[in-house]
Amino acid sequence: MYKWIVIGGGVQGCSVASRLLIEKKVTTEELLIIDPHAEPLEMWQRITSKIGMQYLRSPVVHHLEADPYSLKKFAKLHDFTQPFKGKYGRPRLDLFNDHSLNVVNKTGVRDSWRQGLVNKLAKHSIGWEVSVQDGQNFYGERVILAIGVNNTPHFPTWAQELQDNERMNHIFDLKKDLPNSGNIIVVGGGMTAAQLASNLSKQQDVNSVTLVKRHPFRIHRFDSDPGWLGPKFLTSFDKLTNYKKRREVIQEARYRGSITKDVYINIKKQINTGKLHVYNGGVVSAKLEGQCIQLLTSQDEVLSGDAVLLSTGAEPSLPGREWLKEAIDHIRLPCAPCGFPIVSKSLEWKNGLFVTGALAELEIGPVSRNIAGARKATERILQTA
């Protein structure tokens, strides 16, 4: 019997697990972290590396440690050159990763790690029962659901017929490597798509990259107003008792499909080289034509490429739905009309079951899915530990 079981070992899961350990709320023997990947933060590192991210969007004070200045101290101690960018000190990706893995290693997160795919959650007489795909069952007094959304890539309707074709790839699909030659089409209008398109257009064997997006570039420093980090907006949000309204507020607050100014400048530079092209418009259909994929746009134009890379985000459904829905129904876990958890201020769903990340957004607000949200969720859960 474990004191705590954390399901998910990404930024959210590692944030709360490392804090439980470092503040001695639990020992490595009393903690179990279950994740589909072999290493902590593996999916985060692979996706950010895949798209060629150089600097995070979040500021210097957002990371896995409690001390907000820890990342800045770490950068100075290890003599990183140009460790931060912009007014808010957005960290270099390699700096953030080194710091995060340092936290993971020194707290003992790896000693509590188990690679596995959870497929069932049940209430047990002595706590909670967590089952994994290989048939093993684990029991814990308390469970934290730190499930990411990137495990369920969204394929637009027009792309679904070709989603298993080797020339159609989603950025969240880690089983496929990125194409590194020829003419490439990137579909998406946000940070991931923009960074990916810019990075690919710099590669020598790539002839051209076409970035296809439904709207003009939207320039924002962050993915939501910084006021959502504190009482400026959260005071009124907390007063909302109607969860349908909370969902509407969250959707309106997020700067979906936006990019930072420096990424926009990089895009413009690559456009000037002639290797990167930008197309504003929707896609209606896709078909194979010889060795190419052809996209028919809403303007009745045809775009042709050797490969199509989708940066269209995750499915807008409940993370872990394939097994979590059964637990919701059997245990009668309270949910809002959108299907997401209704939880307490401490992020407790019911009887020692806690949530972080996307599952906590009706309580944490628009920043719940990012690093700032992980910090907020960690603080709240630790108050009950």
Side-chain angles (χ1 to χ4, degrees):
M1 168 69 82
Y2 294 93
K3 278 191 175 181
W4 288 89
I5 296 178
V6 179
I7 301 176
V11 170
Q12 300 280 342
C14 285
S15 174
V16 67
S18 61
R19 287 285 299 280
L20 284 168
L21 288 165
I22 203 166
E23 297 190 16
K24 302 190 185 305
K25 304 289 186 180
V26 67
T27 65
T28 54
E29 294 78 16
E30 296 167 333
L31 172 67
L32 177 66
I33 306 161
I34 306 175
D35 187 89
H37 301 96
E39 294 286 333
L41 303 170
E42 182 175 327
M43 190 163 192
W44 158 266
Q45 291 189 88
R46 290 175 68 182
I47 291 176
T48 53
S49 172
K50 197 174 185 180
I51 66 175
M53 181 187 291
Q54 294 180 323
Y55 286 85
L56 272 67
R57 194 172 194 173
S58 56
V60 61
V61 294
H62 295 166
H63 46 73
L64 301 191
E65 285 209 288
D67 177 8
Y69 301 107
S70 172
L71 184 57
K72 194 170 186 179
K73 295 172 184 174
F74 185 86
K76 188 174 182 180
L77 181 64
H78 294 272
D79 199 27
F80 277 85
T81 57
Q82 295 183 314
F84 306 105
K85 179 183 284 288
K87 178 181 177 182
Y88 292 89
R90 293 163 41 224
R92 264 173 45 181
L93 175 64
D94 58 346
L95 165 60
F96 178 84
N97 286 345
D98 286 355
H99 178 261
S100 299
L101 292 177
N102 181 64
V103 173
V104 163
N105 292 332
K106 75 180 182 182
T107 57
V109 162
R110 294 180 190 276
D111 297 328
S112 300
W113 192 266
R114 189 195 188 283
Q115 185 177 6
L117 191 65
V118 172
N119 61 7
K120 187 175 182 181
L121 174 70
K123 188 73 181 74
H124 198 274
S125 58
I126 54 174
W128 293 90
E129 180 181 3
V130 180
S131 304
V132 295
Q133 206 169 51
D134 66 7
Q136 284 194 280
N137 299 320
F138 302 96
Y139 299 90
E141 295 176 19
R142 288 178 280 189
V143 170
I144 301 171
L145 301 177
I147 312 165
V149 299
N150 295 347
N151 294 318
T152 54
H154 171 66
F155 283 83
T157 303
W158 58 264
Q160 291 173 8
E161 188 174 333
L162 296 178
Q163 74 178 72
D164 294 324
N165 188 279
E166 62 180 6
R167 295 183 181 277
M168 179 76 73
N169 188 0
H170 196 289
I171 193 65
F172 290 167
D173 184 355
L174 300 183
K175 296 176 183 177
K176 294 182 181 179
D177 294 326
L178 290 180
N180 55 13
S181 63
N183 301 307
I184 302 171
I185 299 174
V186 176
V187 180
M191 283 285 285
T192 300
Q195 290 176 101
L196 176 61
S198 179
N199 184 51
L200 285 171
S201 67
K202 296 173 185 176
Q203 296 187 21
Q204 184 175 355
D205 293 333
V206 172
N207 296 331
S208 70
V209 177
T210 301
L211 176 61
V212 181
K213 53 194 181 65
R214 293 179 296 179
H215 52 76
F217 286 114
R218 300 165 178 167
I219 314 298
H220 290 283
R221 185 174 277 128
F222 302 117
D223 52 14
S224 62
D225 191 292
W228 285 106
L229 294 170
K232 181 177 180 180
F233 295 144
L234 288 176
T235 299
S236 58
F237 181 79
D238 290 341
K239 291 178 181 178
L240 292 174
T241 56
N242 184 314
Y243 284 92
K244 185 178 180 181
K245 181 61 178 175
R246 284 198 180 198
R247 172 59 63 195
E248 291 172 357
V249 169
I250 290 171
Q251 290 174 335
E252 291 173 6
R254 289 194 176 122
Y255 300 145
R256 290 178 58 83
S258 64
I259 64 174
T260 57
K261 187 175 181 179
D262 63 299
V263 169
Y264 176 70
I265 291 171
N266 285 336
I267 287 283
K268 297 291 283 185
K269 286 179 180 178
Q270 290 308 110
I271 290 173
N272 290 336
T273 68
K275 287 188 67 174
L276 177 59
H277 311 277
V278 175
Y279 181 88
N280 289 323
V283 178
V284 176
S285 64
K287 68 175 183 177
L288 288 173
E289 191 68 36
Q291 298 300 309
C292 297
I293 291 185
Q294 290 187 345
L295 304 185
L296 176 65
T297 74
S298 52
Q299 285 84 24
D300 290 328
E301 296 182 62
V302 175
L303 304 176
S304 183
D306 298 302
V308 173
L309 298 178
L310 299 176
S311 179
T312 48
E315 284 291 338
S317 60
L318 188 77
R321 178 182 173 82
E322 60 276 6
W323 54 267
L324 192 52
K325 186 64 170 64
E326 182 181 350
I328 290 171
D329 294 338
H330 286 185
I331 310 167
R332 296 183 179 179
L333 298 170
C335 293
C338 61
F340 279 61
I342 296 175
V343 298
S344 68
K345 292 291 182 186
S346 63
L347 306 184
E348 187 173 15
W349 203 352
K350 192 174 185 178
N351 300 329
L353 178 65
F354 295 82
V355 298
T356 69
L359 292 174
E361 61 190 6
L362 290 177
E363 185 60 39
I364 296 291
V367 304
S368 188
R369 300 185 183 204
N370 60 30
I371 302 167
R375 292 177 64 84
K376 284 179 172 290
T378 295
E379 294 295 341
R380 294 201 190 190
I381 292 172
L382 254 68
Q383 291 175 6
T384 71

